[in-house]
């Protein structure tokens, strides 16, 4: 990110902070949920800036924790799921992949080649790294849900669903 971009973001924040409404302290919310026996929701989605789960799911502020990464892959999101579940019980995990995803534009081999050229220090240390290329979002979301369900304590304690978001119609399709 260029210095000009960082300066621009800081300037925008000055305006936003003037009307910022602070959320309640996390501990209070966690304690309330615990007393009610409420379980949280985690959404795993792609980092694509066109795909905003808060918007297309009609979520209210604080309704779900959102984990975003390239392709919405669960291998990358697992640590965050475990962290969130440790803070407060997670009851539902929704994995969302989408059409026209950038992760469908390159094969795993092409990701390896490009990373090797742009970041040889990383590629040299991690030659078998999986970048998460997607051939078909309907198949990859099923594979990602199966990955999470392969951990018995997750599968036994959480509902884990897989959806595909159509980037051009705004519609969701449940795959798992």
């Amino acid at each position: 990110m260029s210095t000009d971009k960082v300066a621009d973001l800081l300037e925008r924040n000055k305006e936003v902070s003037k009307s910022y409404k602070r959320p309640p302290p996390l501990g209070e919310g966690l304690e309330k949920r615990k007393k009610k026996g409420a379980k949280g929701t985690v959404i795993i989605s792609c980092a694509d800036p066109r795909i905003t789960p808060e918007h297309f799911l009609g979520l209210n502020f604080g309704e779900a924790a959102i984990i975003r990464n390239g392709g919405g892959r669960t291998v990358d999101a697992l640590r965050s799921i475990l962290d969130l579940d440790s803070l407060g019980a997670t009851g539902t995990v929704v994995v969302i992949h989408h059409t026209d995803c950038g992760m469908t534009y390159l094969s795993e081999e092409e990701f390896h080649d490009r990373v090797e050229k742009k970041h040889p220090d990383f590629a040299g240390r991690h030659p078998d790294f999986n970048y998460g290329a997607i051939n078909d979002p309907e198949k990859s979301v099923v594979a990602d849900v199966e990955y999470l369900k392969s951990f018995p304590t997750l599968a036994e304690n959480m509902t884990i669903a897989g959806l595909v978001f159509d980037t051009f119609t705004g519609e969701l399709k449940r795959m798992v």
Side-chain angles (χ1 to χ4, degrees):
M1 185 180 284
S2 71
T3 305
D4 290 342
K5 185 62 175 179
V6 174
D8 177 55
L9 293 172
L10 289 168
E11 200 56 41
R12 288 192 227 174
N13 173 258
K14 284 181 185 176
E15 287 303 310
V16 171
S17 67
K18 291 175 185 175
S19 60
Y20 180 75
K21 296 192 184 350
R22 79 171 188 86
L26 181 62
E28 286 178 18
L30 292 174
E31 195 57 38
K32 280 183 187 178
R33 293 178 76 89
K34 187 177 179 180
K35 285 180 182 175
K36 290 180 180 178
K39 293 188 173 191
T41 301
V42 175
I43 309 294
I44 303 166
S45 184
C46 187
D48 184 329
R50 303 171 302 156
I51 309 303
T52 53
E54 299 88 340
H55 177 71
F56 70 76
L57 294 173
L59 297 174
N60 295 313
F61 178 80
E63 187 175 354
I66 311 294
I67 301 169
R68 296 180 68 172
N69 62 54
R73 304 313 302 258
T74 55
V75 170
D76 300 326
L78 182 59
R79 182 194 55 81
S80 295
I81 294 168
L82 296 172
D83 292 346
L84 290 165
D85 191 51
S86 295
L87 286 168
T90 298
T92 304
V93 176
V94 181
V95 182
I96 303 172
H97 291 191
H98 69 97
T99 61
D100 195 42
C101 180
M103 298 304 289
T104 65
Y105 281 69
L106 298 175
S107 68
E108 195 65 28
E109 186 177 312
E110 289 169 313
F111 275 114
H112 275 273
D113 291 346
R114 288 187 183 196
V115 170
E116 192 169 12
K117 286 178 185 147
K118 291 181 88 168
H119 308 283
D121 53 332
F122 178 85
R125 284 190 241 164
H126 304 281
D128 297 324
F129 194 82
N130 183 336
Y131 295 97
I134 294 173
N135 293 321
D136 177 344
E138 291 187 3
K139 291 179 181 172
S140 61
V141 78
V142 171
D144 275 7
V145 168
E146 288 174 358
Y147 172 73
L148 291 180
K149 287 183 174 182
S150 74
F151 298 95
T153 55
L154 294 181
E156 293 166 9
N157 296 301
M158 300 175 193
T159 298
I160 304 171
L163 312 175
V164 172
F165 177 73
D166 186 313
T167 302
F168 302 110
T169 67
E171 294 179 358
L172 283 166
K173 180 179 178 182
R174 186 168 185 161
M175 303 307 299
V176 183

